[in-house]
Amino acid sequence: MLDHLLSHHDLALVGLAGALCVLGNYVTVLIAGRVPAGARAGGWPLLIGLCGGTTAWSTHFIAMLAYRLYPPGGYDLELTVLSFVVGTALAGLGFEFARRAAHHVLGRASGGALVGMAVIALHYIGMAAMAMPGTLVYDASLVAVSVVLAIALGAGATTALGATRRLPGMIASGLLLSAMTLSMHFVAMHAFDIEAAVSGALPAHGVSRTLLAVAIGGAVAFILTIAVVGAALDVRLARRLRAEADRFRVLAEGAFEGLLVIADGRIVDSNTKARKLLALDDACSNLCPQLLERLIGDAVDTAEWGESDPVELTVRRADGLSFPVEVTRRRLPLPGCASGQLIAIRDVTARKLSEIRIAHLALHDPLTRLPNRRFFAELAERTIARCERAGERFAVMVIDLDNFKLVNDIHGHAAGDRVIAEVARRLAGALRTGDIVARFGGDEFALLLSACPQPAQATALAARIHRALAAPIVLEQGHAHPGASIGVAFFPHDGQDIEALLRRADTAMYKAKADGKATCRFFEAAMDAALLARKRLEERLRRAIECEQLTVAYQPIVDCVTRTPVACETLLRWHDEELGNVSPAEFIQVAEESGLVAALGEFVLRQACQDAAAWPLPLQVAVNVSALQFRRGDLLASVRAALAASGLPPARLELEITESVLIDNRDDVVRTLRGLKELGLRVAMDDFGTGFSSLSYLQSFQFDKLKIDRAFVADMAVDGKEASLVRAIVSMGRSLHMKVVAEGVETEEQAQMLRAFGCDQLQGYLLARPMPADAIAAYLAHHATHPPGLAAVG
Ligand code: C2E
Ligand code: CA
Ligand code: CA
């Protein structure tokens, strides 16, 4: 066969045909290989068919030009064109079929077989187009060999191209295609002979050798163009792919999560974030296998995932640091790998911390960082459950600061916060281990004394708390004495659940408040009733003020020597339909605690000034001003308004205040006092001897009058010590240039002693009882017409 080839062919042209064949087929495979298996076909099959068909066609006809044995006179045009069309169409179909069936070896091979048939058809139709002076006779067995060769090599070529379309496959495929075209051609050329050459007549519309050469030239130009364009496209495509890969890398690097690509249980790719997070080297080789296993999760599930729900894990890195992460996994189809997954790892330390912080906030008071009411209730429920099982007792203690509202009003909220924080600190310091202190808001605290079977233990703790709160709290201006009223209730005696226990402890605390501040009371059943009564009192007092049911009484104050009236003290009177006469000693406190005291105070001031202005004698009128009223209301404004409305000369108005007004020794208290003095008012110190009785209070402000509390006066006649105390107070008052008044004088004996001590004025039932406004006018009118000397005798 080789002899035949060498002897009957122009070898230069054969070489050209071979070269063109290899080039053309390679271009064809290149294009075929670029069309992805899953993509839509579009115009690709046509182009591939044209490329493959043109290659086979021009190879065939160049080889025919090289054939010297029976040089044909020319070619039949129709058959020549037909050979091209059939070859092109079959080749295009064959490649497209192979592409669509790429996932199947048999499918790929079938497509290739079709390509082989394209070459066979092209060759034999091309042969039939030859104008020959005889008939072509074929050797059947060699024809069969050529057909089998073409089909087999074609099938081999598309199979080699494969599904993945990698370069080695493409090269092999191109070579196989070339082998197919060339071997088919030359075997077929060996298979024919020409019989009975009759005449040299050529077909009428034949294609001359020259025209054929031109057509072949065109075909070659086409293939070369496709080759160049294909190469350019290839370069661009490669660049695009690289850019795309870069973009993905940037994306992966910019991701907030650490990303790991896992193929069959091994890390094959990772972003910097993941390596940093897990403290891995660039190859991720130092990730401990157990950790990797936990990150990958249960491989059985992997097959099912689109994307898994995030899983929270605690990661312990090679460097020993451990922290919480959230892991999300997604199945990732990776070429040549049975199970691929993408793992996203997010460090959730910050989130965890803020979750903890939020949980803490929900259960604690932000100012003191103590447990809040909700947390306290939770802890108490646990204690209840435990004590129920063990049959044990425990105590709940409620603490309310005594003067806190005052501190807030006078010093402002910032100072109030400081006081609360300091009290919280002191309370915590007073507790035993195991006890819990909580802040319920405002100035309310609660204690849970889990190991407190005996009331004595609660009493001891209350004493410790009182001691701890006794020291003044230093503020920017002055200082505060918080003091605390404490109520105690016991489980299970006073309540079965925490609400009941707190309610009972609250009741006891109110009782403690009512019994004098800075005390501690244990809950007793009777207290509930007392508390209710107190609530009712407050309600009715509010109504009484609204309906103007309150009145004032006046009690004369007389000169100690002449017993002529020199002043009258204004005393509030309230007669309630249901409650009867309620003492101001009782309702003033309720008014203070409920904020009603300001309205009450203004009423008394207005009424006193108005009444006094109409008295037949120009006596002084004294008005009591409670500490809270003094500090809260705008006292100076109220006083000015009352004086202006009544026309009473300021010198006739006297205000009685108690020491508690001066306790904090604050600048603005003294300023208000001075303001009152500047208005021309007089100021008396009331109830002297009951409070702190500190000389410094008397020195901080020049009082006009000192009123000795009636308790001293009452004890004076029976107790020598009390008598000498009263004598000392009188002489001290006089030395400080104050008028001294004795309250509650009920007997002539007391009056005589006080006169002997040098007391200036007397007030008490002996001299006159408090009387209604119209009665005092009559009383004073009587004294105006009766000389003082006579009154003293009467
Ligand atoms: P206080 O300022 O010490 O008033 C004198 C109290 O002693 C009055 O009681 C008066 O009725 C009573 N009293 C007078 N003479 C005698 C006596 O010989 N023996 C006895 N045992 N008591 C006598 P009252 O009216 O019940 O007032 C009690 C307290 O209520 C007053 O004590 C005062 O602190 C307060 N208060 C009364 N009215 C007002 C007011 O308008 N405003 C304010 N803020 N407090 C008032
Ligand atoms: Ca008074
Ligand atoms: Ca008094």
Side-chain angles (χ1 to χ4, degrees):
M1 201 188 289
L2 198 60
D3 289 348
H4 175 90
L5 179 81
L6 293 176
S7 53
H8 304 309
H9 283 82
D10 174 341
L11 287 183
L13 277 176
V14 169
L16 180 65
L20 186 74
C21 178
V22 170
L23 173 70
N25 279 324
Y26 185 65
V27 170
T28 308
V29 165
L30 206 68
I31 298 170
R34 282 284 173 254
V35 189
R40 286 182 46 210
W44 287 112
L46 180 66
L47 185 67
I48 294 163
L50 271 174
C51 233
T54 308
T55 303
W57 188 84
S58 42
T59 303
H60 173 83
F61 282 100
I62 294 172
M64 287 314 290
L65 286 179
Y67 191 60
R68 284 196 300 233
L69 191 56
Y70 305 109
Y75 292 90
D76 177 76
L77 179 64
E78 281 87 2
L79 284 175
T80 306
V81 170
L82 183 69
S83 75
F84 178 77
V85 170
V86 170
T88 298
L90 282 178
L93 281 175
F95 276 110
E96 180 59 11
F97 189 90
R99 185 181 77 94
R100 295 205 178 180
H103 44 273
H104 248 294
V105 182
L106 214 65
R108 288 207 304 263
S110 314
L114 208 57
V115 174
M117 282 181 222
V119 179
I120 295 161
L122 189 147
H123 180 88
Y124 287 105
I125 295 171
M127 289 300 281
M130 279 198 303
M132 281 282 164
T135 322
L136 288 176
V137 183
Y138 284 102
D139 174 338
S141 58
L142 275 177
V143 169
V145 168
S146 79
V147 167
V148 170
L149 257 178
I151 289 178
L153 287 170
T158 45
T159 308
L161 191 57
T164 56
R165 282 132 210 268
R166 295 209 192 128
L167 192 65
M170 296 214 290
I171 290 173
S173 178
L175 289 176
L176 282 168
L177 275 182
S178 303
M180 165 194 79
T181 312
L182 293 172
S183 62
M184 191 274 138
H185 180 86
F186 290 108
V187 169
M189 288 306 280
H190 199 57
F192 86 95
D193 216 338
I194 300 198
E195 259 181 10
V198 185
S199 77
L202 288 176
H205 305 289
V207 180
S208 69
R209 283 170 71 95
T210 322
L211 193 60
L212 187 67
V214 170
I216 291 169
V220 169
F222 170 76
I223 292 169
L224 287 177
T225 308
I226 294 290
V228 169
V229 170
L233 280 177
D234 219 40
V235 168
R236 259 187 55 192
L237 191 70
R239 207 180 292 146
R240 230 182 46 212
L241 283 175
R242 215 175 315 119
E244 206 151 278
D246 284 351
R247 227 176 56 224
F248 277 127
R249 184 125 297 270
V250 167
L251 256 179
E253 286 302 328
F256 291 109
E257 291 109 341
L259 299 175
L260 293 177
V261 177
I262 311 286
D264 296 331
R266 271 185 328 106
I267 302 176
V268 291
D269 207 350
S270 59
N271 66 355
T272 314
K273 185 109 189 175
R275 293 193 295 274
K276 243 198 200 140
L277 205 58
L278 303 176
L280 302 178
D281 54 27
D282 282 347
C284 301
S285 56
N286 60 334
L287 183 62
C288 96
Q290 288 94 327
L291 178 52
L292 181 61
E293 219 166 84
R294 288 176 56 213
L295 288 176
I296 293 174
D298 194 343
V300 183
D301 291 347
T302 318
E304 319 280 305
W305 292 341
E307 181 172 310
S308 73
D309 287 334
V311 184
E312 262 177 30
L313 297 176
T314 301
V315 154
R316 179 186 267 285
R317 304 198 311 206
D319 59 8
L321 186 70
S322 66
F323 54 94
V325 293
E326 191 182 84
V327 176
T328 316
R329 310 183 185 104
R330 175 201 286 271
R331 211 159 74 87
L332 197 65
L334 291 175
C337 139
S339 90
Q341 31 173 324
L342 178 68
I343 295 182
I345 309 164
R346 192 188 281 261
D347 180 357
V348 292
T349 309
R351 200 185 69 198
K352 280 267 130 119
L353 280 178
S354 75
E355 276 171 12
I356 290 170
R357 215 170 295 135
I358 287 167
H360 188 270
L361 272 182
L363 295 175
H364 290 81
D365 164 49
L367 174 62
T368 60
R369 290 162 193 268
L370 294 179
N372 61 13
R373 184 187 287 270
R374 193 178 127 198
F375 193 22
F376 182 85
E378 262 173 42
L379 295 170
E381 293 297 352
R382 264 181 249 168
T383 308
I384 287 174
R386 185 171 51 74
C387 288
E388 231 161 30
R389 258 181 280 125
E392 281 173 9
R393 276 156 64 93
F394 75 90
V396 167
M397 207 179 244
V398 167
I399 300 175
D400 192 274
L401 301 188
D402 291 331
N403 300 315
F404 183 69
K405 286 189 189 72
L406 213 64
V407 171
N408 241 352
D409 285 352
I410 297 164
H411 300 266
H413 286 287
D417 283 356
R418 193 134 11 102
V419 169
I420 291 294
E422 175 60 17
V423 167
R425 212 182 52 77
R426 293 186 189 180
L427 284 178
L431 291 188
R432 308 163 305 174
T433 44
D435 294 344
I436 289 159
V437 56
R439 183 187 175 213
F440 281 7
D443 57 346
E444 224 184 307
F445 294 87
L447 266 56
L448 186 70
L449 313 177
S450 43
C452 186
Q454 300 306 324
Q457 289 161 306
T459 308
L461 178 61
R464 261 206 316 282
I465 289 172
H466 280 136
R467 265 202 306 280
L469 297 183
I473 295 173
V474 179
L475 300 171
E476 259 167 42
Q477 295 189 317
H479 44 265
H481 297 260
S485 297
I486 301 176
V488 188
F490 279 95
F491 174 88
H493 186 264
D494 298 333
Q496 307 290 318
D497 55 48
I498 188 59
E499 284 84 33
L501 285 168
L502 281 173
R503 219 171 31 242
R504 290 317 180 36
D506 248 13
T507 304
M509 184 272 291
Y510 280 120
K511 182 72 170 70
K513 267 222 156 121
D515 287 357
K517 303 188 164 174
T519 45
C520 170
R521 289 287 175 270
F522 289 62
F523 175 78
E524 290 159 21
M527 286 180 182
D528 265 346
L531 190 75
L532 272 177
R534 191 190 165 78
K535 285 251 160 69
R536 189 155 141 248
L537 186 69
E538 183 185 323
E539 224 17 76
R540 295 201 67 86
L541 177 62
R542 192 184 300 276
R543 281 249 298 284
I545 294 172
E546 278 166 13
C547 306
E548 299 179 348
Q549 289 172 350
L550 290 149
T551 55
V552 288
Y554 296 96
Q555 186 177 30
I557 299 169
V558 304
D559 184 275
C560 193
V561 179
T562 66
R563 306 263 174 111
T564 49
V566 288
C568 292
E569 180 176 1
T570 316
L571 295 163
L572 261 169
R573 291 293 174 259
W574 175 27
H575 178 81
D576 181 81
E577 283 170 14
E578 282 180 26
L579 304 171
N581 287 329
V582 187
S583 158
E586 205 176 324
F587 69 77
I588 290 292
Q589 200 194 344
V590 174
E592 283 189 343
E593 280 162 13
S594 58
L596 293 167
V597 77
L600 265 185
E602 280 195 24
F603 161 73
V604 175
L605 262 178
R606 239 182 304 120
Q607 198 63 45
C609 291
Q610 192 184 314
D611 290 344
W615 284 344
L617 292 177
L619 302 186
Q620 280 183 349
V621 62
V623 172
N624 292 289
V625 179
S626 76
L628 201 76
Q629 185 189 349
F630 188 91
R631 291 159 155 166
R632 177 176 285 175
D634 195 347
L635 188 62
L636 278 173
S638 312
V639 165
R640 273 201 213 96
L643 289 173
S646 62
L648 187 77
R652 285 184 60 197
L653 180 59
E654 184 172 71
L655 298 187
E656 295 188 2
I657 66 168
T658 55
E659 280 172 307
S660 58
V661 171
L662 290 161
I663 277 181
D664 289 338
N665 203 11
R666 287 185 30 93
D667 297 345
D668 54 346
V669 169
V670 175
R671 218 176 299 128
T672 307
L673 285 170
R674 297 229 169 92
L676 291 169
K677 267 294 194 44
E678 277 162 23
L679 275 179
L681 264 66
R682 302 182 173 234
V683 184
M685 159 121 339
D686 201 358
D687 298 348
F688 190 77
T690 55
F692 296 82
S693 301
S694 161
L695 253 176
S696 68
Y697 296 142
L698 292 178
Q699 283 165 338
S700 66
F701 179 76
Q702 179 60 56
F703 287 92
D704 299 289
K705 208 180 249 187
L706 189 68
K707 295 188 80 173
I708 302 172
D709 192 71
R710 59 182 175 275
F712 293 98
V713 176
D715 293 345
M716 200 172 52
V718 282
D719 188 338
K721 255 202 235 144
E722 291 291 296
S724 52
L725 190 69
V726 171
R727 188 208 300 265
I729 293 173
V730 172
S731 70
M732 180 199 69
R734 293 184 66 110
S735 69
L736 288 171
H737 312 291
M738 290 183 273
K739 291 264 182 256
V740 180
V741 186
E743 293 184 309
V745 183
E746 294 181 352
T747 64
E748 193 54 44
E749 190 190 0
Q750 291 165 343
Q752 293 305 334
M753 284 177 85
L754 289 161
R755 185 179 172 172
F757 293 160
C759 189
D760 296 294
Q761 294 167 7
L762 304 176
Q763 179 182 1
Y765 296 165
L766 171 72
L767 305 138
R769 288 196 170 247
M771 51 193 95
D774 43 358
I776 194 80
Y779 172 91
L780 294 179
H782 171 76
H783 277 276
T785 51
H786 292 74
L790 292 176
V793 178

